[in-house]
Structure formats: structure tokens, C-alpha cells
Amino acid sequence: MSEKGTSSELIVNGVEETHHFARALGAILRAGDLLVLTGELGAGKTTFTQGLGLGLGVREGIISPTFVISRIHPTLGEGPDLVHVDAYRLATAVEVDDLDLESSLSTSVTVVEWGADKVEQLSDSRLEIVLQRPGSAEIDEELVFDFSEGDEDEQRTISLRAVGPRWANDPQLAALLTHFRS
């Protein structure tokens, strides 16, 4: 993986496969890692974060932080805590700075939903993850916050872009992506 970033794309079939991939990714994350999640409402950002939490070994009960903006999910073991942020309603860099994410960044894994173009200054390394539903560009979706009843098996495309020195030539990430693409 290069300083500019390397991209990879894979298809998951529903909640179970989303959790499976995210759990495996969570298992290779470490304190200081920043993940920026992008996707329309209902694309599975919180579902993805739940899988990360399983891989990190944090306390269960991950739900969307839409109304509280940020939640901390403490580790149940030796690993880092998970800081889960929803930046949807944050419009300026000052509002992001007010969250003081820098204070926990080095000791936690930080996941920011709707964080594109808002949190990149937090770290020179990050994983940018885009989740897409089939036909998402053409469909006018209802307001939903994650997989809803009836679409648990719906396919999603996960695009992952690894940026910065943390991810440069990372063998664990390369092996993970190879495994899930095959």
C-alpha cells in the first residue's frame, strides 16, 4: 500500500458477511487507527462498525451515534477502545474539533461515519471505506439508518482505500483483502 493510497473493492452478501469482513478487519486494527466510513443512509455503516467492534473485542451494543454524535465503546480485554462518531450533522472543521477526537485518537480505534472531507486532518494514515447498496445512485431511498427488515441478505459493495504510512505494505491488510476477494 502506498503513501497515496491503494484501493480495493469487494462484494458482501448481507449482514453476516458484512460482520465477517469487518470483524476480520477489526482484529488487525490497533490504537491510533482512523477509519472514515461513507455511504448513503441504510448502506450498512453501523452494521460494519458492529463487526469491527466484534473484532476489536469491545463491549457489545454498538448503535448509530446519530443523535449523540460520538460514543465510546470500551475494550473488554487488552485492545483499544472504539470511538464511534457520526459526523452527518457536523458542517465545519470547528464542530469536528469540538469533539476533541485528538485526545483519544492515540489510544483508541476511531471510526467516523460521514467523515469524508471532515476528519482527514486527524491522522496521516487512515482507511477510507465506502459502502454501497445495489443501484444506490438511481434509487430514492427512504430514511433508514442501517440494514432494515427484508434486506439483511442484500448485497453491498465495500470499497476500501488505505492511505498513509501505517498501511504502506501492511501484510495483514493485504492478506485480509486477498482472502475476501477470492
Side-chain angles (χ1 to χ4, degrees), residues 65-154:
T66 299
F67 300 106
V68 296
I69 311 245
S70 179
R71 294 184 192 275
I72 298 173
H73 301 279
T75 184
L76 296 174
E78 299 296 317
D81 293 340
L82 172 65
V83 176
H84 185 198
V85 178
D86 185 325
Y88 183 76
R89 294 183 288 144
L90 304 179
T92 67
V94 171
E95 290 176 308
V96 172
D97 287 344
D98 286 345
L99 294 177
D100 195 25
L101 296 174
E102 294 89 354
S103 68
S104 63
L105 191 65
S106 66
T107 59
S108 302
V109 169
T110 304
V111 176
V112 184
E113 296 185 23
W114 305 98
D117 300 324
K118 296 178 183 176
V119 298
E120 289 82 357
Q121 76 284 357
L122 292 174
S123 177
D124 60 349
S125 295
R126 66 189 170 275
L127 293 178
E128 298 172 349
I129 299 170
V130 178
L131 293 104
Q132 292 180 296
R133 300 173 80 169
S136 61
E138 300 85 34
I139 299 173
D140 183 20
E141 296 292 334
E142 290 182 36
L143 183 63
V144 292
F145 291 97
D146 219 316
F147 285 89
S148 55
E149 192 172 322
D151 71 353
E152 296 91 359
D153 294 324
E154 186 177 63

Coordinates of all heavy atoms in Angstrom, one line a residue, residues 65-154:
P65 N -24.5 6.5 16.4 CA -24.4 7.7 17.3 C -25.0 8.9 16.7 O -24.6 10.0 17.0 CB -22.9 7.8 17.5 CG -22.3 7.3 16.2 CD -23.2 6.2 15.7
T66 N -26.0 8.7 15.8 CA -26.6 9.9 15.1 C -27.0 11.0 16.0 O -26.7 12.2 15.7 CB -27.8 9.4 14.3 OG1 -27.4 8.4 13.3 CG2 -28.5 10.5 13.5
F67 N -27.6 10.7 17.1 CA -28.2 11.8 17.9 C -27.2 12.3 19.0 O -27.4 13.4 19.5 CB -29.5 11.3 18.5 CG -30.5 11.0 17.4 CD1 -30.9 9.7 17.1 CD2 -31.0 12.1 16.6 CE1 -31.7 9.4 16.0 CE2 -31.9 11.8 15.6 CZ -32.3 10.5 15.3
V68 N -26.3 11.4 19.4 CA -25.3 11.9 20.4 C -24.0 12.2 19.8 O -23.1 12.7 20.5 CB -25.1 10.8 21.5 CG1 -26.4 10.5 22.2 CG2 -24.6 9.5 20.9
I69 N -23.8 12.0 18.5 CA -22.6 12.3 17.7 C -21.5 11.4 18.0 O -20.8 11.0 17.0 CB -22.2 13.8 17.8 CG1 -23.4 14.7 17.7 CG2 -21.0 14.1 16.9 CD1 -23.4 15.6 16.5
S70 N -21.2 11.1 19.2 CA -20.0 10.2 19.5 C -20.3 9.3 20.7 O -20.9 9.7 21.7 CB -18.8 11.1 19.8 OG -17.7 10.4 20.1
R71 N -19.8 8.1 20.5 CA -19.9 7.1 21.6 C -18.5 6.4 21.8 O -17.9 6.1 20.8 CB -20.9 6.0 21.3 CG -22.3 6.4 21.2 CD -23.2 5.2 20.9 NE -24.6 5.6 20.5 CZ -25.5 5.8 21.4 NH1 -25.3 5.8 22.7 NH2 -26.7 6.2 21.0
I72 N -18.2 6.1 23.0 CA -17.0 5.3 23.3 C -17.4 3.9 23.7 O -18.2 3.8 24.6 CB -16.2 6.0 24.4 CG1 -15.7 7.3 23.9 CG2 -14.9 5.1 24.7 CD1 -15.0 8.2 24.9
H73 N -16.9 2.9 23.0 CA -17.2 1.5 23.4 C -15.9 0.9 24.0 O -14.9 0.7 23.3 CB -17.6 0.7 22.1 CG -18.8 1.3 21.5 ND1 -20.1 1.0 22.0 CD2 -19.0 2.2 20.5 CE1 -21.0 1.7 21.3 NE2 -20.3 2.4 20.3
P74 N -15.9 0.7 25.3 CA -14.7 0.2 26.0 C -14.3 -1.2 25.6 O -15.1 -2.0 25.4 CB -15.0 0.4 27.4 CG -16.5 0.4 27.5 CD -17.0 0.9 26.2
T75 N -13.0 -1.4 25.6 CA -12.5 -2.8 25.3 C -12.8 -3.7 26.5 O -12.9 -3.2 27.7 CB -11.0 -2.7 25.1 OG1 -10.5 -4.1 24.8 CG2 -10.2 -2.3 26.3
L76 N -13.0 -4.9 26.2 CA -13.2 -5.9 27.2 C -11.9 -6.7 27.6 O -11.9 -7.6 28.4 CB -14.3 -6.9 26.8 CG -15.7 -6.3 26.6 CD1 -16.6 -7.4 26.0 CD2 -16.2 -5.8 27.9
G77 N -10.9 -6.4 26.8 CA -9.6 -7.1 27.0 C -8.5 -6.1 27.0 O -8.5 -5.0 27.7
E78 N -7.4 -6.5 26.3 CA -6.2 -5.7 26.3 C -6.2 -4.7 25.1 O -5.3 -3.8 25.1 CB -5.0 -6.6 26.2 CG -4.9 -7.6 27.3 CD -4.6 -6.9 28.6 OE1 -3.8 -5.9 28.7 OE2 -5.2 -7.3 29.6
G79 N -7.1 -4.8 24.2 CA -7.0 -3.9 23.0 C -7.5 -2.5 23.2 O -7.9 -2.2 24.3
P80 N -7.6 -1.7 22.2 CA -8.0 -0.3 22.3 C -9.5 -0.2 22.4 O -10.3 -1.1 22.0 CB -7.5 0.3 21.0 CG -7.5 -0.9 20.0 CD -7.1 -2.1 20.8
D81 N -10.0 0.9 22.9 CA -11.4 1.2 22.9 C -11.8 1.6 21.4 O -10.9 1.8 20.6 CB -11.7 2.4 23.8 CG -11.5 2.2 25.2 OD1 -11.5 1.0 25.7 OD2 -11.3 3.2 26.0
L82 N -13.1 1.6 21.2 CA -13.6 2.0 19.9 C -14.4 3.3 20.1 O -15.3 3.4 20.9 CB -14.6 1.0 19.3 CG -15.3 1.3 18.1 CD1 -14.4 1.6 16.9 CD2 -16.4 0.3 17.7
V83 N -14.0 4.4 19.4 CA -14.7 5.6 19.4 C -15.5 5.7 18.1 O -14.9 5.6 17.0 CB -13.7 6.8 19.5 CG1 -14.5 8.2 19.4 CG2 -12.9 6.8 20.8
H84 N -16.8 5.8 18.2 CA -17.7 5.7 17.0 C -18.4 7.1 16.9 O -19.1 7.5 17.8 CB -18.7 4.6 17.3 CG -19.6 4.3 16.1 ND1 -20.8 3.6 16.3 CD2 -19.6 4.6 14.8 CE1 -21.4 3.5 15.1 NE2 -20.7 4.2 14.2
V85 N -18.2 7.7 15.8 CA -18.6 9.1 15.6 C -19.5 9.1 14.4 O -19.3 8.5 13.4 CB -17.4 10.1 15.4 CG1 -17.9 11.5 15.1 CG2 -16.5 10.0 16.5
D86 N -20.6 9.9 14.4 CA -21.4 10.2 13.3 C -21.3 11.7 13.0 O -21.8 12.5 13.8 CB -22.9 9.9 13.6 CG -23.8 10.0 12.4 OD1 -23.6 10.9 11.6 OD2 -24.7 9.2 12.2
A87 N -20.6 12.1 11.9 CA -20.4 13.5 11.6 C -21.4 14.0 10.6 O -21.2 15.1 10.1 CB -18.9 13.6 11.0
Y88 N -22.5 13.3 10.4 CA -23.5 13.8 9.4 C -24.0 15.2 9.7 O -24.1 16.0 8.7 CB -24.7 12.8 9.5 CG -25.8 13.2 8.5 CD1 -25.6 12.8 7.1 CD2 -27.0 13.8 8.8 CE1 -26.6 13.1 6.2 CE2 -27.9 14.1 7.9 CZ -27.7 13.7 6.6 OH -28.7 14.0 5.6
R89 N -24.2 15.6 10.9 CA -24.7 16.9 11.2 C -23.6 17.9 11.5 O -23.9 19.1 11.8 CB -25.7 16.8 12.4 CG -26.9 16.0 12.1 CD -27.9 16.0 13.2 NE -27.5 15.2 14.3 CZ -27.7 15.5 15.6 NH1 -28.3 16.5 15.9 NH2 -27.2 14.7 16.5
L90 N -22.4 17.5 11.3 CA -21.3 18.5 11.6 C -20.9 19.1 10.2 O -20.6 18.4 9.3 CB -20.1 17.8 12.2 CG -20.3 17.0 13.5 CD1 -19.1 16.3 13.9 CD2 -20.9 17.9 14.5
A91 N -20.9 20.4 10.2 CA -20.7 21.1 8.9 C -19.4 21.8 8.8 O -18.9 22.0 7.7 CB -21.8 22.2 8.8
T92 N -18.7 22.0 9.9 CA -17.5 22.8 9.9 C -16.3 22.0 10.6 O -16.6 21.2 11.5 CB -17.6 24.2 10.5 OG1 -17.8 24.0 11.9 CG2 -18.8 25.0 9.9
A93 N -15.1 22.4 10.3 CA -14.0 21.9 11.0 C -14.0 22.2 12.4 O -13.5 21.4 13.3 CB -12.7 22.4 10.3
V94 N -14.5 23.4 12.8 CA -14.6 23.8 14.2 C -15.5 22.8 15.0 O -15.2 22.4 16.1 CB -15.1 25.2 14.3 CG1 -15.4 25.6 15.8 CG2 -14.1 26.2 13.7
E95 N -16.6 22.4 14.4 CA -17.5 21.4 15.0 C -16.8 20.1 15.2 O -17.0 19.4 16.3 CB -18.8 21.2 14.2 CG -19.7 22.5 14.2 CD -20.9 22.3 13.3 OE1 -20.7 22.0 12.2 OE2 -22.0 22.5 13.9
V96 N -16.0 19.6 14.3 CA -15.3 18.4 14.4 C -14.2 18.6 15.5 O -14.1 17.7 16.4 CB -14.6 18.0 13.1 CG1 -13.7 16.8 13.3 CG2 -15.7 17.6 12.1
D97 N -13.5 19.7 15.5 CA -12.5 20.0 16.6 C -13.2 20.0 18.0 O -12.5 19.6 18.9 CB -11.8 21.3 16.3 CG -10.9 21.3 15.1 OD1 -10.5 20.2 14.7 OD2 -10.5 22.4 14.7
D98 N -14.4 20.5 18.1 CA -15.1 20.5 19.4 C -15.3 19.1 20.0 O -15.5 19.0 21.2 CB -16.4 21.2 19.3 CG -16.3 22.7 19.1 OD1 -15.2 23.2 19.4 OD2 -17.3 23.4 18.7
L99 N -15.3 18.1 19.1 CA -15.4 16.7 19.6 C -14.1 16.2 20.4 O -14.2 15.2 21.1 CB -15.7 15.7 18.5 CG -17.1 15.9 17.8 CD1 -17.2 14.9 16.7 CD2 -18.2 15.8 18.8
D100 N -13.0 16.9 20.1 CA -11.7 16.6 20.8 C -11.3 15.2 20.5 O -10.9 14.4 21.4 CB -11.8 16.9 22.2 CG -10.4 16.9 22.9 OD1 -9.4 17.2 22.1 OD2 -10.3 16.7 24.1
L101 N -11.5 14.7 19.3 CA -11.1 13.3 18.9 C -9.6 13.1 19.0 O -9.2 12.0 19.3 CB -11.6 13.0 17.5 CG -13.1 13.0 17.2 CD1 -13.4 12.9 15.8 CD2 -13.7 12.0 18.1
E102 N -8.8 14.2 19.0 CA -7.4 14.0 19.1 C -7.0 13.5 20.5 O -6.0 12.8 20.6 CB -6.7 15.4 18.9 CG -6.8 16.0 17.5 CD -8.0 16.8 17.4 OE1 -8.9 16.9 18.3 OE2 -8.2 17.4 16.3
S103 N -7.8 13.7 21.5 CA -7.4 13.3 22.8 C -7.5 11.8 23.0 O -6.8 11.2 23.9 CB -8.3 14.0 23.9 OG -9.6 13.5 23.8
S104 N -8.3 11.1 22.2 CA -8.4 9.7 22.3 C -7.8 8.9 21.1 O -7.8 7.7 21.2 CB -9.9 9.3 22.6 OG -10.6 9.6 21.4
L105 N -7.4 9.7 20.1 CA -7.0 9.0 18.9 C -5.8 8.0 19.1 O -5.9 6.9 18.5 CB -6.6 10.1 17.8 CG -6.4 9.6 16.4 CD1 -7.7 9.1 15.8 CD2 -5.9 10.7 15.6
S106 N -4.9 8.4 19.9 CA -3.7 7.5 20.0 C -3.9 6.3 20.9 O -3.2 5.3 20.8 CB -2.5 8.3 20.6 OG -2.8 8.7 21.9
T107 N -5.0 6.3 21.6 CA -5.3 5.1 22.5 C -6.5 4.3 22.0 O -6.9 3.3 22.7 CB -5.5 5.6 23.9 OG1 -6.6 6.5 24.0 CG2 -4.3 6.3 24.5
S108 N -7.2 4.7 21.0 CA -8.4 4.1 20.5 C -8.4 3.9 19.0 O -7.5 4.4 18.3 CB -9.6 5.0 20.8 OG -9.7 5.3 22.2
V109 N -9.3 3.1 18.5 CA -9.6 3.0 17.1 C -10.8 3.9 16.9 O -11.8 3.9 17.6 CB -10.0 1.6 16.7 CG1 -10.5 1.6 15.2 CG2 -8.8 0.6 16.7
T110 N -10.7 4.9 16.0 CA -11.7 5.9 15.8 C -12.4 5.6 14.4 O -11.7 5.6 13.4 CB -11.1 7.3 15.8 OG1 -10.4 7.5 17.1 CG2 -12.2 8.4 15.6
V111 N -13.7 5.5 14.5 CA -14.5 5.3 13.3 C -15.4 6.5 13.1 O -16.2 6.8 14.0 CB -15.3 4.0 13.4 CG1 -16.2 3.8 12.2 CG2 -14.4 2.8 13.5
V112 N -15.4 7.1 12.0 CA -16.2 8.3 11.7 C -17.1 8.1 10.5 O -16.6 8.0 9.4 CB -15.3 9.6 11.5 CG1 -16.3 10.8 11.4 CG2 -14.3 9.8 12.7
E113 N -18.4 7.9 10.8 CA -19.4 7.8 9.7 C -19.6 9.2 9.2 O -19.6 10.2 10.0 CB -20.7 7.3 10.2 CG -20.6 5.8 10.7 CD -22.0 5.3 11.1 OE1 -23.0 5.8 10.7 OE2 -22.0 4.3 11.9
W114 N -19.8 9.3 7.9 CA -20.0 10.6 7.2 C -18.8 11.6 7.4 O -18.9 12.8 7.5 CB -21.2 11.3 7.7 CG -22.5 10.5 7.6 CD1 -23.1 9.8 8.6 CD2 -23.3 10.3 6.5 NE1 -24.2 9.2 8.2 CE2 -24.4 9.5 6.8 CE3 -23.2 10.8 5.2 CZ2 -25.4 9.1 5.9 CZ3 -24.2 10.4 4.3 CH2 -25.3 9.6 4.7
G115 N -17.6 11.0 7.6 CA -16.4 11.8 7.9 C -15.6 12.3 6.8 O -14.6 13.1 7.0
A116 N -15.9 11.9 5.5 CA -15.1 12.3 4.4 C -15.1 13.8 4.3 O -16.1 14.5 4.4 CB -15.7 11.7 3.1
D117 N -13.9 14.3 4.0 CA -13.6 15.8 3.9 C -13.9 16.5 5.2 O -14.0 17.8 5.2 CB -14.5 16.4 2.8 CG -14.2 15.8 1.5 OD1 -13.0 15.5 1.2 OD2 -15.1 15.7 0.7
K118 N -13.9 15.8 6.4 CA -14.1 16.4 7.7 C -13.1 16.0 8.7 O -12.8 16.8 9.6 CB -15.5 16.1 8.2 CG -16.7 16.6 7.4 CD -18.0 16.1 8.0 CE -19.1 16.6 7.1 NZ -20.4 16.1 7.6
V119 N -12.5 14.8 8.6 CA -11.6 14.4 9.6 C -10.2 13.9 9.1 O -9.4 13.4 9.9 CB -12.2 13.2 10.4 CG1 -13.5 13.7 11.1 CG2 -12.5 12.0 9.6
E120 N -9.9 14.1 7.9 CA -8.6 13.6 7.4 C -7.4 14.2 8.0 O -6.4 13.6 8.1 CB -8.6 13.8 5.8 CG -9.5 13.0 5.0 CD -10.9 13.4 4.9 OE1 -11.3 14.5 5.6 OE2 -11.7 12.8 4.3
Q121 N -7.6 15.4 8.6 CA -6.5 16.1 9.3 C -6.1 15.5 10.6 O -5.1 15.8 11.2 CB -6.9 17.6 9.5 CG -7.8 17.9 10.7 CD -9.3 17.6 10.4 OE1 -9.6 17.2 9.3 NE2 -10.1 17.7 11.4
L122 N -6.9 14.5 11.1 CA -6.6 13.9 12.4 C -5.4 13.0 12.3 O -4.8 12.7 13.3 CB -7.9 13.1 12.8 CG -9.1 13.9 13.2 CD1 -10.3 13.0 13.5 CD2 -8.8 14.8 14.4
S123 N -5.2 12.4 11.1 CA -4.1 11.4 11.0 C -3.5 11.4 9.6 O -4.3 11.6 8.6 CB -4.6 10.0 11.4 OG -3.6 9.1 11.2
D124 N -2.3 11.1 9.5 CA -1.7 11.0 8.1 C -2.0 9.6 7.5 O -1.7 9.4 6.4 CB -0.2 11.3 8.1 CG 0.6 10.4 9.0 OD1 0.0 9.6 9.8 OD2 1.9 10.4 9.0
S125 N -2.5 8.7 8.3 CA -2.9 7.4 7.9 C -4.4 7.1 8.2 O -4.8 7.5 9.3 CB -2.1 6.3 8.5 OG -0.7 6.4 8.2
R126 N -5.1 6.5 7.3 CA -6.5 6.2 7.5 C -6.9 5.1 6.5 O -6.3 4.9 5.5 CB -7.3 7.4 7.5 CG -7.4 8.0 6.1 CD -8.1 9.3 6.0 NE -7.9 10.0 4.7 CZ -6.8 10.7 4.4 NH1 -5.8 10.9 5.2 NH2 -6.7 11.2 3.2
L127 N -8.1 4.5 6.9 CA -8.8 3.6 6.0 C -10.0 4.3 5.6 O -10.8 4.7 6.4 CB -9.1 2.3 6.6 CG -7.9 1.4 6.9 CD1 -8.4 0.1 7.6 CD2 -7.1 1.0 5.7
E128 N -10.2 4.6 4.3 CA -11.4 5.2 3.8 C -12.3 4.1 3.2 O -11.9 3.4 2.3 CB -11.1 6.2 2.7 CG -10.3 7.4 3.2 CD -9.8 8.3 2.1 OE1 -9.9 7.9 0.9 OE2 -9.2 9.3 2.5
I129 N -13.5 3.9 3.8 CA -14.3 2.8 3.4 C -15.7 3.3 2.9 O -16.3 4.1 3.6 CB -14.5 1.8 4.6 CG1 -13.2 1.3 5.0 CG2 -15.5 0.7 4.3 CD1 -13.1 0.5 6.3
V130 N -16.0 2.9 1.7 CA -17.3 3.3 1.1 C -18.2 2.1 1.0 O -17.8 1.1 0.4 CB -17.1 4.0 -0.2 CG1 -18.5 4.4 -0.8 CG2 -16.2 5.2 -0.1
L131 N -19.4 2.1 1.6 CA -20.4 1.1 1.4 C -21.5 1.5 0.5 O -22.0 2.6 0.7 CB -21.0 0.7 2.8 CG -19.9 0.1 3.8 CD1 -19.5 1.1 4.8 CD2 -20.5 -1.1 4.4
Q132 N -21.8 0.6 -0.5 CA -22.9 1.0 -1.4 C -23.9 -0.1 -1.6 O -23.5 -1.3 -1.6 CB -22.3 1.3 -2.8 CG -21.4 2.5 -2.8 CD -20.9 2.7 -4.2 OE1 -20.1 1.9 -4.7 NE2 -21.3 3.8 -4.9
R133 N -25.1 0.2 -1.7 CA -26.2 -0.7 -2.0 C -26.3 -0.8 -3.5 O -26.0 0.1 -4.2 CB -27.5 -0.2 -1.4 CG -27.5 0.0 0.1 CD -28.7 0.7 0.6 NE -29.8 -0.4 0.7 CZ -30.9 -0.2 1.2 NH1 -31.2 1.0 1.8 NH2 -31.8 -1.1 1.3
P134 N -26.9 -1.9 -4.0 CA -27.1 -2.1 -5.4 C -28.0 -1.0 -5.9 O -29.0 -0.6 -5.3 CB -27.8 -3.4 -5.6 CG -27.6 -4.1 -4.3 CD -27.4 -3.1 -3.2
G135 N -27.5 -0.3 -7.0 CA -28.4 0.7 -7.6 C -28.5 1.9 -6.8 O -29.5 2.7 -7.0
S136 N -27.6 2.2 -5.9 CA -27.8 3.3 -4.9 C -27.9 4.6 -5.6 O -28.5 5.5 -5.1 CB -26.7 3.2 -3.9 OG -25.4 3.4 -4.5
A137 N -27.2 4.8 -6.7 CA -27.2 6.1 -7.4 C -28.6 6.4 -8.0 O -28.9 7.5 -8.2 CB -26.1 6.2 -8.4
E138 N -29.3 5.4 -8.4 CA -30.6 5.6 -9.1 C -31.8 5.5 -8.2 O -32.9 5.9 -8.6 CB -30.8 4.5 -10.2 CG -29.7 4.4 -11.2 CD -28.5 3.6 -10.8 OE1 -28.7 2.6 -10.1 OE2 -27.4 4.0 -11.2
I139 N -31.7 5.0 -7.0 CA -32.8 4.8 -6.1 C -33.0 5.9 -5.1 O -32.0 6.3 -4.5 CB -32.7 3.5 -5.4 CG1 -32.6 2.3 -6.4 CG2 -33.9 3.3 -4.4 CD1 -32.3 1.0 -5.7
D140 N -34.2 6.5 -5.0 CA -34.5 7.5 -4.0 C -34.9 6.7 -2.7 O -36.1 6.2 -2.6 CB -35.6 8.4 -4.4 CG -35.9 9.5 -3.4 OD1 -35.1 9.8 -2.6 OD2 -37.0 10.0 -3.5
E141 N -34.0 6.5 -1.8 CA -34.2 5.6 -0.6 C -35.1 6.3 0.5 O -35.0 7.5 0.6 CB -32.9 5.3 0.0 CG -32.0 4.4 -0.9 CD -32.6 3.0 -1.1 OE1 -33.3 2.5 -0.3 OE2 -32.3 2.4 -2.2
E142 N -35.8 5.5 1.2 CA -36.5 6.0 2.4 C -35.4 6.2 3.5 O -34.3 5.7 3.4 CB -37.4 4.9 2.9 CG -38.6 4.7 2.1 CD -39.5 3.7 2.7 OE1 -39.7 3.6 3.9 OE2 -40.1 2.9 1.9
L143 N -35.8 7.0 4.5 CA -34.8 7.3 5.6 C -34.7 6.1 6.5 O -35.6 5.6 7.1 CB -35.4 8.5 6.4 CG -34.5 8.9 7.6 CD1 -33.2 9.4 7.0 CD2 -35.2 10.0 8.4
V144 N -33.6 5.4 6.4 CA -33.2 4.2 7.2 C -31.8 4.4 7.7 O -31.0 5.2 7.2 CB -33.3 2.9 6.4 CG1 -34.8 2.6 6.0 CG2 -32.5 2.9 5.2
F145 N -31.5 3.8 8.8 CA -30.2 4.0 9.5 C -29.3 2.8 9.4 O -28.2 2.9 9.8 CB -30.4 4.4 10.9 CG -31.0 5.8 11.0 CD1 -32.4 5.9 11.2 CD2 -30.3 6.9 10.9 CE1 -33.0 7.2 11.3 CE2 -30.8 8.2 10.9 CZ -32.2 8.3 11.1
D146 N -29.7 1.7 8.8 CA -28.9 0.6 8.7 C -29.6 -0.4 7.9 O -30.7 -0.1 7.3 CB -28.4 0.0 10.0 CG -27.0 -0.4 10.0 OD1 -26.6 -1.1 9.0 OD2 -26.2 -0.1 10.9
F147 N -29.1 -1.7 7.8 CA -29.9 -2.7 7.2 C -31.3 -2.7 7.8 O -31.4 -2.7 9.0 CB -29.3 -4.1 7.4 CG -28.0 -4.3 6.6 CD1 -26.8 -4.0 7.0 CD2 -28.1 -4.9 5.3 CE1 -25.6 -4.2 6.3 CE2 -27.0 -5.2 4.6 CZ -25.7 -4.8 5.0
S148 N -32.3 -2.8 7.0 CA -33.7 -2.8 7.6 C -34.3 -4.2 7.3 O -33.7 -5.0 6.5 CB -34.5 -1.7 7.0 OG -34.6 -1.8 5.6
E149 N -35.4 -4.5 7.9 CA -36.0 -5.8 7.8 C -36.3 -6.1 6.3 O -36.8 -5.2 5.5 CB -37.4 -5.8 8.5 CG -37.9 -7.2 8.7 CD -39.1 -7.2 9.6 OE1 -39.1 -6.5 10.6 OE2 -40.1 -7.9 9.2
G150 N -35.9 -7.2 5.9 CA -36.1 -7.6 4.5 C -34.8 -7.5 3.6 O -34.7 -8.0 2.6
D151 N -33.8 -6.6 4.1 CA -32.6 -6.5 3.2 C -31.4 -7.0 3.9 O -30.3 -6.7 3.5 CB -32.5 -5.1 2.8 CG -32.0 -4.1 3.9 OD1 -32.0 -4.5 5.0 OD2 -31.7 -2.9 3.5
E152 N -31.6 -7.9 4.9 CA -30.4 -8.5 5.6 C -29.5 -9.3 4.7 O -28.3 -9.4 5.0 CB -30.9 -9.4 6.8 CG -31.7 -8.7 7.9 CD -33.2 -8.7 7.6 OE1 -33.6 -9.3 6.6 OE2 -33.9 -8.2 8.5
D153 N -30.0 -9.8 3.6 CA -29.2 -10.5 2.7 C -28.8 -9.7 1.4 O -28.3 -10.3 0.5 CB -29.9 -11.8 2.3 CG -30.1 -12.8 3.5 OD1 -29.2 -12.8 4.3 OD2 -31.1 -13.4 3.6
E154 N -29.2 -8.5 1.4 CA -28.9 -7.6 0.3 C -27.4 -7.4 0.1 O -26.7 -7.2 1.1 CB -29.6 -6.3 0.4 CG -29.5 -5.4 -0.8 CD -30.3 -4.1 -0.7 OE1 -29.9 -3.3 0.2 OE2 -31.2 -3.9 -1.5

